[in-house]
Amino acid sequence: MNRVSIVAGAVAGLGVAGLAIAHAGPGITAIGPLRRRLFPRLAGLGRPDHVALTFDDGPDPATTPAFLELLAARRLHATFFLLGSMVDRAPDLAAQIAGAGHEVAVHGWEHRYTILRSARDVHSDLARATAVVAAATGQRPAYFRPPYGVLSAGALDAARGLGLTPVLWSSWGREWTAGASAGTVAGTVLAGLGGGGTILLHDSDCTSPAGSAAAALAALPQVLDACEVRGLRVGTLAEHWPGPGAAGSSGERVG
Ligand SMILES: [Zn+2]
C-alpha cells in the first residue's frame, strides 16, 4: 500500500472524503459534518446548481493533453491544481491549460505532507509554486489544495499570506486504488456528488500508480453525462463561487 492509499484510507475511514486538518503538531483532526457546515468553502461546497471539476498533480505531458482534448470536446472548463515541480518541467503545457480557458491553482511545489514540514519550509514551497504557476500561465492563482488534502497550521498561514484560499473537495474517484476502472471511478464520484459539490480527479500519475489518470479520464464522460442529467452545470471554482472577489470573500476563516 503506498502513501496515497494509506492516507486516503485513513481519511475515508473517518467518513468524510478528504477532509482532514492538522492543527499545531502532527495530530490530524477529522472534519465531520459540523465542519462542513462551518467551512463550506474549504469542503468545496458552492452554488447548488453547479459542480466544480478539479484536477490535481499536473501538468503532465504524458496524460494532461488527453484531458484537455476531452474538456474541449465537451466545451467545459475545469480548475487544475498544478504542482510547481511539474510546471517547472512543462511550462508550455501549463500555459496551454490556461490558454484553453481553464483555471489554474496551486498544489504546492513538492507533493509532500505539509504537516511533516516546518512552517517556513511550507511557506517557501507554496510561494515558489505560486510564482512558477503565475509566470508560466499569466494567471494569478486564487486557490490552494494541499498534497493529500491534509492542511497544517503553517500551510494555512502560508496560503493566507499568499492570498490563496484553501479548497479540498466533496467527491473523489479513488482512481489510485488497485483495480480502479472507468466504472469504479465514475461510480465513486457520483455516489458522493450533489449540487454544489467539488470533484477531485488526477490528470497525472506522478504520485499515483500507473494507469490512475487513464482511469479518471475514462470515467469523465460518464460523470459529465450524469451531471447533465441531474441539471448540474460543470465548471471551475471561480464559477462555483461567483461574484466580485469571490476567492476568500466569504469571511470564512480556517485554522
Ligand atoms: Zn496531489
Side-chain angles (χ1 to χ4, degrees), residues 1 3 8 21-22 33 38 41 45 53 58 64 67 80 83 100 103 129 159-160 177 182 184 233 243 246-247:
M1 180 180 278
R3 289 191 307 161
I21 275 196
L38 290 177
R41 188 177 298 256
L45 302 178
L53 180 59
T64 303
F67 285 82
F80 287 79
L83 280 171
E103 179 178 38
R160 193 174 295 141
T177 50
T184 67
R233 228 169 53 74

Side-chain angles (χ1 to χ4, degrees), residues 149-245:
V150 178
L151 280 165
S152 63
L156 287 169
D157 282 347
R160 193 174 295 141
L162 292 163
L164 299 169
T165 298
V167 178
L168 299 179
W169 60 90
S170 63
S171 182
W172 61 4
R174 299 179 63 82
E175 62 269 29
W176 59 86
T177 50
S181 65
T184 67
V185 173
T188 305
V189 167
L190 293 170
L193 187 65
T198 290
I199 297 171
L200 162 64
L201 292 169
H202 295 79
D203 64 310
S204 170
D205 289 342
C206 71
T207 71
S208 310
S212 301
L217 179 69
L220 257 185
Q222 193 182 329
V223 169
L224 298 175
D225 288 348
C227 287
E228 209 169 305
V229 167
R230 297 179 188 184
L232 298 170
R233 228 169 53 74
V234 175
T236 63
L237 286 171
E239 295 163 320
H240 209 44
W241 296 300

Side-chain angles (χ1 to χ4, degrees), residues 20-198:
I21 275 196
H23 293 286
I28 295 175
T29 305
I31 305 182
L34 176 65
R35 289 270 193 171
R36 259 191 206 230
R37 281 206 305 277
L38 290 177
F39 305 115
R41 188 177 298 256
L42 178 63
L45 302 178
R47 291 165 43 189
D49 63 339
H50 191 264
V51 163
L53 180 59
T54 71
F55 298 101
D56 285 7
D57 292 359
D60 190 331
T63 44
T64 303
F67 285 82
L68 296 179
E69 276 173 35
L70 190 152
L71 293 171
R74 303 286 296 226
R75 300 178 187 279
L76 293 175
H77 291 127
T79 299
F80 287 79
F81 283 89
L82 304 178
L83 280 171
S85 54
M86 298 292 278
V87 174
D88 196 41
R89 284 194 282 270
D92 291 349
L93 183 53
Q96 194 186 328
I97 293 170
H102 302 294
E103 179 178 38
V104 292
V106 177
H107 197 36
W109 185 277
E110 288 187 65
H111 204 276
R112 292 174 54 197
Y113 289 103
T114 60
I115 52 168
L116 301 180
R117 309 175 74 176
S118 70
R120 189 174 172 174
D121 190 21
V122 168
H123 185 278
S124 90
D125 178 288
L126 206 44
R128 193 176 169 210
T130 304
V132 78
V133 168
T137 66
Q139 278 188 26
R140 182 184 170 278
Y143 300 104
F144 164 59
R145 176 177 289 152
Y148 307 108
V150 178
L151 280 165
S152 63
L156 287 169
D157 282 347
R160 193 174 295 141
L162 292 163
L164 299 169
T165 298
V167 178
L168 299 179
W169 60 90
S170 63
S171 182
W172 61 4
R174 299 179 63 82
E175 62 269 29
W176 59 86
T177 50
S181 65
T184 67
V185 173
T188 305
V189 167
L190 293 170
L193 187 65
T198 290

